[in-house]
Amino acid sequence: MTFGFAPSAATSITTSPAGSVGGLTRMLEPAEWAAAGIPLLSNPREVVSGLHSRHRPKPATAVVAVLDHEERLAASASFVPRPAPVDGWEFRNALLAHLRRVIPHDLRRRTPVRTAVLLYCRDGDERWTEEDGAWMWGLRDACTLHGLRCGAYITLTRGGWQVLGEGRGGRRPNSESSPVDLADTAFDQEVTPLRSGAVEPLRRTAAR
């Protein structure tokens, strides 16, 4: 898997080792994320299109969603994180707060049956940034504390969407495109590879 790197589009951060708890920055490098055994989405374009239609995210908007074992949407929430230095701890707290508002925890289960995924709409291109690394750290930790499996981290930029760590993505939707009607289930767009990998066709998720 090949990743590009780019400076973070968010506020500058204090440099410290990945996953550090002593500094401001708590983040996961792309190699750490790829090695974490994150479950693959069977139909990422459906998930991305559904969340894009429901929440209409603009740059700097995060959309956290919980999928059941059949990859159906159980709950979702969108928010714009408060301006602050990029830090996985802050992102974790924000994600956890919104998860608690939209769905009960699964901490009593031995094994998580639901999966949380995160769609982050931002400026820049599809290359990994330190801000992405902080969101990855935050998503993983929030899932642990809410009894969920940690799922995909997806970026949405002007160039399209990308599931980081999987090399799958597409040109639409993107941060500037109009949302499709949720009732429209036709996906006749051609699969288009991004610089970091290939794309698969996807299945629409249904909200409860």
Side-chain angles (χ1 to χ4, degrees), residues 69 73 131:
H69 66 285
L73 184 62
E131 184 182 20

Side-chain angles (χ1 to χ4, degrees), residues 20-81:
S20 170
V21 296
L24 283 176
T25 304
R26 297 167 179 87
M27 68 179 186
L28 296 176
E29 298 284 349
E32 294 176 294
W33 183 257
I38 304 300
L40 299 178
L41 288 170
S42 61
N43 292 295
R45 185 183 296 168
E46 291 277 342
V47 173
V48 174
S49 295
L51 294 178
H52 184 253
S53 295
R54 287 178 176 88
H55 295 278
R56 302 172 181 253
K58 300 298 182 184
T61 302
V63 181
V64 62
V66 179
L67 309 179
D68 67 14
H69 66 285
E70 294 182 344
E71 209 168 279
R72 294 175 302 192
L73 184 62
S76 63
S78 61
F79 62 96
V80 176

Side-chain angles (χ1 to χ4, degrees), residues 14 19 22 67 71 126 130 142 148 159 178-179 197:
T14 301
L67 309 179
E71 209 168 279
E126 75 275 9
E130 290 174 327
L148 302 169
S178 299

Side-chain angles (χ1 to χ4, degrees), residues 189-204:
Q189 302 165 327
E190 288 189 11
V191 170
T192 54
L194 296 175
R195 278 178 287 180
S196 58
V199 183
E200 288 184 4
L202 317 170
R203 175 174 54 108
R204 178 169 301 283

Side-chain angles (χ1 to χ4, degrees), residues 14 26 54-55 81 90-91 125 140 145 160 165 167 177 180 184 193 205:
T14 301
R26 297 167 179 87
R54 287 178 176 88
H55 295 278
E90 293 290 340
F91 291 164
D125 57 30
R140 185 186 66 176
L145 294 173
S177 63
V180 299
D184 181 8
T205 55

Side-chain angles (χ1 to χ4, degrees), residues 64-141:
V64 62
V66 179
L67 309 179
D68 67 14
H69 66 285
E70 294 182 344
E71 209 168 279
R72 294 175 302 192
L73 184 62
S76 63
S78 61
F79 62 96
V80 176
R82 61 182 181 139
V86 170
D87 182 28
W89 183 274
E90 293 290 340
F91 291 164
R92 187 281 305 271
N93 291 343
L95 289 168
L96 192 57
H98 284 84
L99 285 170
R100 286 169 172 165
R101 290 189 185 108
V102 299
I103 200 162
H105 67 74
D106 280 344
L107 293 172
R108 293 184 180 88
R109 294 183 179 273
R110 283 189 176 183
T111 304
V113 296
R114 296 187 289 197
T115 302
V117 301
L118 177 62
L119 171 71
Y120 185 54
C121 182
R122 62 166 171 78
D123 293 320
D125 57 30
E126 75 275 9
R127 292 178 296 171
W128 180 89
T129 68
E130 290 174 327
E131 184 182 20
D132 294 327
W135 278 115
M136 290 171 171
W137 191 98
L139 177 62
R140 185 186 66 176
D141 216 42

